[in-house]
Amino acid sequence: MGLKEECGVFGIFDIDEAAVLTTLGLHSLQHRGQEGAGIVSYDGSSFHFVKKEGLVGDNFNNASTLNQLPGRRAIGHVRYSTTGDSKLANVQPLFANLSAGGFACAHNGNLTNTHALRNALVETGSIFQTTSDTEIILQLVARSKKHKTVDKIKDALSQIKGAYSLIIMTNKKLIGVKDPFGIRPLVLGKKNNAYVLASETCALDIIGAHYIRDVKNGEMVIITESGVESIIIAPSNQARPCIFERIYFARPDSIIDGKSVYTYRKNLGEQLAIENPIDADVVVPVPDSGAPAAIGYSQKSGIPFELGIIRNHYVGRTFIEPSQSIRQFGVKLKHSVNQSSIKNNRVILIDDSIVRGTTANKVVKMVFEAGAKEVHFGISSPPITHPDFYGIDTPQYSELIAANHDIDEITNIIGATSVFFLSLNGTYKAMGYTTRDPNTPQFTDHCFTGDYPIDVTNILKHTHS
Ligand code: AMP
């Protein structure tokens, strides 16, 4: 089974063809989840929704679907299940008719206290229709004794713990919220007079919207016909956005904190070259994830950058998974070696991360088979020693290669000449900091350190990690 990724969210308030713009926004966020997509629109009197399994472009890019989503307001979601099964019922946005009217909610992130909350809700009569943790938010909003929707949401959020960037649509409002640590991203933008909320700025670019600012940690932005209002819903603490967004998840052309993700990744590669100078002939990225860091490594070290591995972009899950006879060709379906830049060379392969070690294992073998004299494997982030519980859902401890093996063992397992990782401080340097603040780190970097800003003991109890 492949790794599970996160989700992407998008919302737009008051513009013609809101569902078309949402489709485009979701398409640009497709890298955040490919399992399913959904859009809820509001036409001034009714809510409409369409949910599909599969890709946005395959499912929403046609008049008959878009005609089912009339109105000037819409929110959408792309999903790669983090909790819950990946069936259609779990595809978001989730929608409920509450006492005050329709309520649609799209969630990126993962809650950490769901077991207790879900049990308490079920015991007191709640009926759940999905296995998604997001439905708990809906149930808590529905049952809140507060009168105003915003207060109901605040009430619900005060009971949940974990990572959440939410976009909510009611018959009057479009609302964006980030959890108190701001773990997952959420940005505010504007297209003409219409406000837009999205996981990443690439979703603003595609519809010609301009970026206004990031939603802050613990902030709720409320968009109505009279404009935007901001309220703080959580006690203030320093934001700790997930460092992995910059290392792997976000699209390279998205802007975070004023810089492109591409720049951060190039910096990571440069820093890797500073920390690990290697005598070699070519620097080769593991496509596509390793490309920006490999460019950085190459530019810093002066070793030429070559495309030594070519990726076939048309390998979908449907091709790989069903047939054992096809599956056994494994990585060759996805990657092939460009012998002309590999043969007789000392090669430095660069990727952004090693999780289970599967990719590294396969590409190192392929590159040796193509005649490389040496294959050094450089990773532009520290070893992943701890699982994520905030929406990425990396595998459990037992499957994380770096949680169970030191660098020498990893080198042996993947069969490389050498393996080298970027240091934790080097990672912070690449992000523009002189060092990691040991008291309150500027990011959540739990995958590398085990420093979880939100308690995860409850989750650990309920997983076999
Ligand atoms: P693995 O093959 O299990 O070691 O995974 C490492 C590869 O997966 C690298 O090429 C990464 O770019 C990529 N990767 C890292 N994190 C994730 C994730 N959460 N979901 C999908 N791919 C990932």
Side-chain angles (χ1 to χ4, degrees):
M1 198 184 72
L3 286 165
K4 295 182 173 182
E5 295 177 44
E6 316 183 39
C7 302
V9 291
F10 183 92
I12 190 159
F13 188 92
D14 243 359
I15 192 162
D16 282 345
E17 300 196 293
V20 172
L21 297 169
T22 303
T23 299
L24 289 167
L26 293 181
H27 173 67
S28 75
L29 296 173
Q30 190 80 80
H31 59 286
R32 299 181 71 84
Q34 301 89 44
E35 201 114 287
I39 296 179
V40 176
S41 71
Y42 181 67
D43 65 6
S45 57
S46 309
F47 288 86
H48 307 268
F49 41 95
V50 176
K51 294 180 186 187
K52 304 269 188 173
E53 286 178 88
L55 300 179
V56 178
D58 293 342
N59 287 300
F60 286 86
N61 185 16
N62 60 75
S64 65
T65 304
L66 290 169
N67 287 342
Q68 295 170 46
L69 294 164
R72 292 171 57 86
R73 302 174 195 175
I75 69 171
H77 187 268
V78 284
R79 165 186 172 77
Y80 196 127
S81 63
T82 50
T83 61
D85 307 324
S86 44
K87 52 181 198 272
L88 196 56
N90 282 319
V91 174
Q92 299 191 20
L94 297 186
F95 179 81
N97 265 311
L98 306 184
S99 55
F103 184 95
C105 178
H107 174 200
N108 172 206
N110 200 14
L111 306 185
T112 54
N113 63 335
T114 49
H115 282 91
L117 281 175
R118 202 180 178 101
N119 288 345
L121 285 163
V122 169
E123 270 164 29
T124 52
S126 282
I127 297 168
F128 280 84
Q129 312 217 339
T130 74
T131 53
S132 144
D133 58 350
T134 311
E135 194 177 358
I136 292 172
I137 301 174
L138 257 72
Q139 297 275 1
L140 292 173
V141 172
R143 296 171 71 148
S144 171
K145 300 273 185 291
K146 306 279 182 198
H147 295 296
K148 294 191 171 146
T149 307
V150 166
D151 293 333
K152 284 177 192 282
I153 298 170
K154 277 165 68 179
D155 192 22
L157 297 182
S158 71
Q159 297 170 68
I160 64 170
K161 294 197 169 68
Y164 51 87
S165 280
L166 300 173
I167 299 184
I168 292 166
M169 184 171 67
T170 67
N171 53 14
K172 293 208 183 74
K173 300 180 172 78
L174 177 71
I175 295 171
V177 197
K178 247 191 206 180
D179 68 72
F181 287 100
I183 291 177
R184 305 262 70 98
L186 189 64
V187 298
L188 177 68
K190 204 169 185 189
K191 180 176 172 61
N192 307 332
N193 290 322
Y195 283 100
V196 186
L197 289 163
S199 294
E200 293 181 37
T201 61
C202 63
L204 304 179
D205 296 337
I206 195 173
I207 61 163
H210 72 268
Y211 166 80
I212 300 176
R213 65 177 179 88
D214 280 43
V215 176
K216 296 193 199 82
N217 56 313
E219 181 187 13
M220 181 189 284
V221 290
I222 304 160
I223 298 158
T224 60
E225 279 171 355
S226 22
V228 188
E229 187 196 344
S230 157
I231 56 176
I232 299 303
I233 57 152
S236 68
N237 49 254
Q238 187 189 295
R240 292 189 63 184
C242 175
I243 200 163
F244 226 66
E245 289 280 346
R246 300 187 187 195
I247 293 169
Y248 171 78
F249 285 119
R251 235 171 69 160
D253 55 333
S254 283
I255 308 286
I256 303 182
D257 247 354
K259 280 206 184 100
S260 71
V261 169
Y262 175 77
T263 306
Y264 293 119
R265 290 185 191 159
K266 252 176 79 174
N267 292 348
L268 289 164
E270 284 180 15
Q271 194 61 36
L272 187 67
I274 294 169
E275 292 182 7
N276 301 275
I278 303 252
D279 202 11
D281 304 306
V282 285
V283 173
V284 168
V286 175
D288 296 323
S289 46
I295 292 171
Y297 192 101
S298 161
Q299 290 180 354
K300 194 77 196 172
S301 64
I303 303 171
F305 174 93
E306 295 287 351
L307 294 178
I309 302 174
I310 308 299
R311 176 167 162 204
N312 185 329
H313 287 269
Y314 307 99
V315 183
R317 292 164 142 255
T318 41
F319 186 40
I320 299 175
E321 280 179 4
S323 156
Q324 177 58 32
S325 50
I326 287 185
R327 200 166 6 150
Q328 62 185 323
F329 287 93
V331 78
K332 291 202 171 149
L333 286 175
K334 198 168 161 192
H335 295 126
S336 54
V337 177
N338 174 19
Q339 223 189 18
S340 62
S341 47
I342 296 290
K343 197 164 181 189
N344 294 326
N345 275 337
R346 294 166 301 163
V347 178
I348 302 178
L349 288 178
I350 303 281
D351 205 352
D352 65 277
S353 54
I354 290 192
V355 184
R356 291 185 175 89
T358 323
T359 310
N361 205 323
K362 289 175 178 171
V363 294
V364 167
K365 277 200 187 72
M366 289 174 78
V367 170
F368 267 128
E369 277 167 24
K373 284 203 284 204
E374 294 171 10
V375 183
H376 304 271
F377 203 94
I379 298 103
S380 61
S381 61
I384 298 179
T385 48
H386 294 74
D388 179 84
F389 299 108
Y390 303 147
I392 300 172
D393 224 17
T394 44
Q396 58 200 35
Y397 284 99
S398 59
E399 291 177 54
L400 292 172
I401 191 168
N404 299 288
H405 300 283
D406 63 21
I407 292 190
D408 287 344
E409 289 167 341
I410 295 174
T411 310
N412 268 335
I413 292 168
I414 71 172
T417 312
S418 75
V419 168
F420 52 99
F421 289 88
L422 183 59
S423 69
L424 188 61
N425 250 333
T427 308
Y428 276 72
K429 280 201 183 117
M431 303 298 163
Y433 296 98
T434 45
T435 182
R436 175 184 194 261
D437 179 343
N439 300 319
T440 325
Q442 299 87 336
F443 296 99
T444 175
D445 52 16
H446 49 275
C447 291
F448 311 128
T449 59
D451 171 4
Y452 294 95
I454 304 167
D455 184 31
V456 293
T457 33
N458 241 320
I459 293 203
L460 285 169
K461 252 194 273 167
H462 292 92
T463 56
H464 29 268
S465 309

